[in-house]
Amino acid sequence: SAAAEVARMLAAADSAAALTGAGVSTASGIPDFRSEGGIWDEFDPSEFRYARFRSDPDGFWERRVEMHAAVYGGDIEPNAAHEALGTLEQAGVLDTVVTQNIDGLHQAAGSETVVELHGNADRVICDGCGQQQRAAPVHERVVDGDVPPRCSDCEGLLKPDVVLFGESLPQTALQRARESAREADIFLAAGSSLSVQPASSLPRTAVRTGATLVVVNLEETPVSDITEYELLADVTEMLPAIADRV
Ligand code: OAD
Ligand code: ZN
């Protein structure tokens, strides 16, 4: 089977990396962005632009907290896809998980080397001094009408510690992601439409520098042309099937 072949390749590879997207968390009850019923059906992405955060921080924060409650508000737990990637790392065949997700579920499932390209929704960061803190108490302040929330040190605006549209990615994370793509003999993209730059360029980087590309996704992606194993499947079935065979 394809799962067995991928498992064999992983076991034989010197280095392997995974890139994940919202599709690995849909089974945990978090909608993805672009599928029907996805986050961008309910919310307008332009509301979460960095420029909007600066020009209308009150409006930005009110919508952000609504979105956070709708998307991450339930009892969110890792699913079989996260667990399988954790298992592959513990088995010593997967070096790095690069994720576009901001839900922290890879770490919750036991993945240790996780590169968060788009930040983490459980944190906020001061837009003035860069100090980070837990998001929950700040969200409570917003709900209580304390908008916009400000830094107690410098009075700067607090911002979700996630990459907003119009913001660049955290440079250290991006560098680590590119390094793991270049080093990888096997590059496994899972649960992502691979449509948002620069994360979406990582599979091409990996292939250009010698990797075999495996994609596990419900639908085709823009890199189908260079994908050696295109597994149109549910990540909660295919990733455990691979992990079970390593
Ligand atoms: P998308 O919503 O663009 O893509 C999710 C993909 O996962 C789709 O191709 C789905 O078909 C697939 N999918 C959903 N459930 C699945 C399952 N159980 N098994 C297999 N595949 C499944 O989400 P991302 O690619 O993560 O950025 O989107 C990338 C970025 O766009 C996000 O990080 C976010 C958004 O704008 C920022 O907010 C900066
Ligand atoms: Zn500050």
Side-chain angles (χ1 to χ4, degrees):
S1 68
E5 279 179 50
V6 172
R8 252 196 316 275
M9 289 190 319
L10 281 169
D14 284 334
S15 174
L19 169 67
T20 65
V24 300
S25 292
T26 50
S28 294
I30 303 173
D32 67 11
F33 293 91
R34 294 173 181 79
S35 297
E36 222 178 292
I39 294 173
W40 298 150
D41 272 359
E42 199 180 334
F43 293 89
D44 181 350
S46 71
E47 294 192 277
F48 303 112
R49 295 192 57 79
Y50 180 74
R52 197 278 175 113
F53 162 73
R54 293 297 310 191
S55 64
D56 176 19
D58 296 30
F60 169 90
W61 264 111
E62 274 155 16
R63 282 299 271 170
R64 181 75 204 179
V65 164
E66 264 178 55
M67 195 256 243
H68 189 92
V71 174
Y72 305 101
D75 194 7
I76 300 293
E77 290 192 349
N79 63 57
H82 302 105
E83 307 282 357
L85 292 171
T87 301
L88 288 171
E89 182 179 339
Q90 261 130 51
V93 298
L94 183 67
D95 298 294
T96 308
V97 175
V98 177
T99 188
Q100 300 165 84
N101 299 342
I102 59 176
D103 55 32
L105 290 180
H106 287 300
Q107 296 91 326
S111 287
E112 286 175 10
T113 309
V114 180
V115 177
E116 294 181 317
L117 280 180
H118 292 167
N120 190 303
D122 290 333
R123 290 189 309 259
V124 298
I125 184 165
C126 173
D127 204 37
C129 70
Q131 205 180 127
Q132 294 165 313
Q133 57 182 292
R134 305 267 316 154
V138 175
H139 289 187
E140 277 170 37
R141 278 161 61 187
V142 172
V143 171
D144 291 343
D146 176 12
V147 281
R150 288 188 179 276
C151 176
S152 56
D153 274 2
C154 79
E155 289 296 306
L157 286 170
L158 296 180
K159 187 185 83 64
D161 196 5
V162 303
V163 175
L164 303 178
F165 294 107
E167 264 191 313
S168 51
L169 272 59
Q171 288 309 296
T172 310
L174 185 54
Q175 268 164 24
R176 285 180 67 201
R178 287 186 169 138
E179 258 162 51
S180 48
R182 282 194 295 263
E183 274 170 22
D185 301 319
I186 311 288
F187 194 83
L188 171 64
S192 176
S193 64
L194 299 176
S195 58
V196 176
Q197 285 279 16
S200 59
S201 69
L202 293 170
R204 270 187 206 283
T205 299
V207 169
R208 200 177 52 237
T209 52
T212 298
L213 178 59
V214 180
V215 174
V216 183
N217 204 52
L218 286 177
E219 56 180 13
E220 284 186 17
T221 73
V223 295
S224 290
D225 58 323
I226 54 163
T227 305
E228 188 126 356
Y229 290 86
E230 185 170 61
L231 311 177
L232 300 179
D234 192 311
V235 289
T236 63
E237 287 162 16
M238 187 56 79
L239 296 180
I242 293 169
D244 283 351
R245 287 169 175 78
V246 164

Coordinates of all heavy atoms in Angstrom, one line a residue, residues 4 12 20-21 39 47-49 57 67 90 114 116 123 134 141 144-145 153 156 159 170 195 208 227 232:
A4 N 2.4 1.9 3.4 CA 3.6 1.1 3.7 C 4.8 1.6 3.0 O 5.9 1.6 3.5 CB 3.2 -0.4 3.3
A12 N 14.0 4.7 6.0 CA 15.3 4.7 5.3 C 15.9 6.0 5.2 O 17.1 6.2 5.0 CB 15.1 4.1 3.9
T20 N 2.3 21.0 8.2 CA 0.9 20.8 8.4 C 0.1 22.1 8.3 O 0.6 23.2 8.4 CB 0.6 20.2 9.8 OG1 1.0 21.2 10.8 CG2 1.4 18.9 10.0
G21 N -1.2 21.9 8.0 CA -2.1 23.0 7.9 C -3.4 22.7 8.6 O -3.5 21.7 9.3
I39 N -13.5 28.9 8.1 CA -13.4 30.1 8.9 C -13.7 31.3 8.0 O -14.4 32.3 8.3 CB -12.0 30.3 9.6 CG1 -11.9 29.2 10.6 CG2 -11.9 31.7 10.2 CD1 -10.6 29.1 11.3
E47 N -10.8 41.7 8.1 CA -10.9 42.2 9.4 C -9.7 41.9 10.3 O -9.5 42.4 11.3 CB -12.1 41.5 10.1 CG -13.5 41.8 9.5 CD -14.6 41.4 10.4 OE1 -15.0 40.2 10.3 OE2 -15.1 42.2 11.1
F48 N -8.9 40.9 9.8 CA -7.8 40.5 10.6 C -6.4 40.9 10.0 O -5.4 40.3 10.1 CB -7.8 39.0 10.8 CG -9.1 38.6 11.5 CD1 -10.0 37.8 10.9 CD2 -9.4 39.0 12.8 CE1 -11.2 37.5 11.5 CE2 -10.6 38.7 13.5 CZ -11.5 37.9 12.8
R49 N -6.5 42.0 9.2 CA -5.3 42.6 8.7 C -4.5 43.4 9.7 O -5.2 44.0 10.6 CB -5.6 43.5 7.5 CG -6.2 42.8 6.3 CD -6.3 43.8 5.1 NE -4.9 44.2 4.8 CZ -4.0 43.5 4.1 NH1 -4.3 42.3 3.7 NH2 -2.8 44.0 3.9
P57 N -8.1 49.3 16.6 CA -7.7 48.2 17.5 C -9.0 47.7 18.3 O -9.1 46.5 18.6 CB -6.6 48.7 18.4 CG -6.7 50.2 18.3 CD -7.3 50.5 16.9
M67 N -14.1 35.5 17.1 CA -13.5 34.5 16.2 C -12.8 33.4 17.0 O -13.1 32.2 16.8 CB -12.6 35.1 15.2 CG -12.2 34.1 14.0 SD -10.6 33.4 14.2 CE -9.9 34.1 12.7
Q90 N 8.9 10.4 17.8 CA 9.4 9.5 18.9 C 10.1 8.3 18.3 O 11.1 7.8 18.9 CB 8.3 9.1 19.9 CG 8.4 10.0 21.1 CD 7.0 10.6 21.4 OE1 6.0 9.9 21.5 NE2 7.0 11.9 21.6
V114 N 8.7 21.5 17.0 CA 7.6 22.1 16.2 C 8.0 23.5 15.9 O 8.4 24.3 16.7 CB 6.3 22.1 17.1 CG1 5.2 22.7 16.3 CG2 5.9 20.7 17.5
E116 N 6.4 26.9 14.6 CA 5.2 27.5 14.4 C 5.4 28.7 13.5 O 5.8 29.8 13.9 CB 4.6 28.0 15.7 CG 4.2 26.8 16.6 CD 3.6 27.2 17.9 OE1 4.1 28.2 18.6 OE2 2.6 26.6 18.4
R123 N -1.1 33.0 22.9 CA -0.3 34.1 23.4 C -0.7 35.4 22.8 O -1.3 35.4 21.7 CB 1.2 33.8 23.0 CG 1.9 32.7 23.7 CD 3.4 32.8 23.4 NE 3.6 32.9 21.9 CZ 4.0 31.9 21.2 NH1 4.2 30.7 21.7 NH2 4.2 32.1 19.9
R134 N 0.1 35.3 28.2 CA -1.0 34.4 27.9 C -2.2 35.2 27.4 O -2.5 36.3 27.8 CB -1.5 33.6 29.2 CG -0.4 32.9 29.9 CD -0.3 31.4 29.5 NE -1.6 30.8 29.4 CZ -1.9 29.8 28.6 NH1 -0.9 29.3 27.8 NH2 -3.1 29.2 28.5
R141 N -10.3 40.6 29.4 CA -10.4 42.0 29.5 C -11.2 42.6 28.3 O -12.0 43.5 28.5 CB -8.9 42.6 29.5 CG -8.3 42.5 30.8 CD -6.8 42.7 30.7 NE -6.3 43.9 30.1 CZ -5.0 44.2 29.8 NH1 -4.1 43.2 30.1 NH2 -4.7 45.3 29.3
D144 N -14.7 42.2 28.8 CA -15.2 43.1 29.9 C -15.2 44.6 29.4 O -15.4 45.5 30.2 CB -14.3 43.0 31.2 CG -14.5 41.6 31.9 OD1 -15.6 41.0 31.6 OD2 -13.7 41.2 32.7
G145 N -14.8 44.8 28.2 CA -14.9 46.1 27.6 C -13.6 47.0 27.8 O -13.6 48.1 27.5
D153 N 3.6 47.5 30.7 CA 5.0 48.1 30.8 C 5.1 49.3 30.0 O 5.6 50.3 30.4 CB 6.0 47.1 30.3 CG 6.5 46.1 31.4 OD1 6.0 46.2 32.5 OD2 7.3 45.3 31.1
G156 N 2.0 50.0 25.0 CA 1.8 49.6 23.6 C 0.5 48.7 23.4 O 0.0 48.2 24.4
K159 N -1.3 42.5 20.9 CA -1.7 41.9 19.6 C -1.7 40.4 19.8 O -0.8 39.9 20.5 CB -0.7 42.3 18.5 CG -1.0 41.9 17.1 CD 0.2 42.3 16.2 CE 1.2 41.2 16.1 NZ 0.8 39.9 15.6
P170 N 7.5 35.3 11.6 CA 8.7 35.3 12.5 C 9.9 34.7 11.8 O 9.9 33.6 11.3 CB 8.2 34.4 13.7 CG 6.9 33.8 13.3 CD 6.4 34.5 12.1
S195 N -1.7 27.0 -0.3 CA -2.0 28.2 -1.1 C -1.6 29.5 -0.5 O -1.8 30.6 -1.0 CB -3.5 28.2 -1.3 OG -4.2 28.3 0.0
R208 N 13.4 20.7 -4.7 CA 14.5 21.2 -5.4 C 15.8 20.8 -4.8 O 16.8 20.6 -5.5 CB 14.4 22.8 -5.4 CG 15.2 23.4 -6.5 CD 15.1 24.9 -6.5 NE 15.3 25.5 -5.2 CZ 14.4 26.3 -4.5 NH1 13.3 26.5 -5.1 NH2 14.7 26.8 -3.3
T227 N 4.6 16.2 -6.8 CA 4.3 15.3 -5.7 C 4.4 13.8 -6.1 O 3.7 13.4 -7.0 CB 2.8 15.5 -5.1 OG1 2.7 16.9 -4.8 CG2 2.6 14.7 -3.9
L232 N -4.8 11.2 -1.6 CA -6.0 12.0 -1.3 C -6.8 11.3 -0.3 O -7.6 10.4 -0.6 CB -6.8 12.2 -2.7 CG -6.0 12.9 -3.7 CD1 -6.8 13.0 -5.0 CD2 -5.6 14.3 -3.3

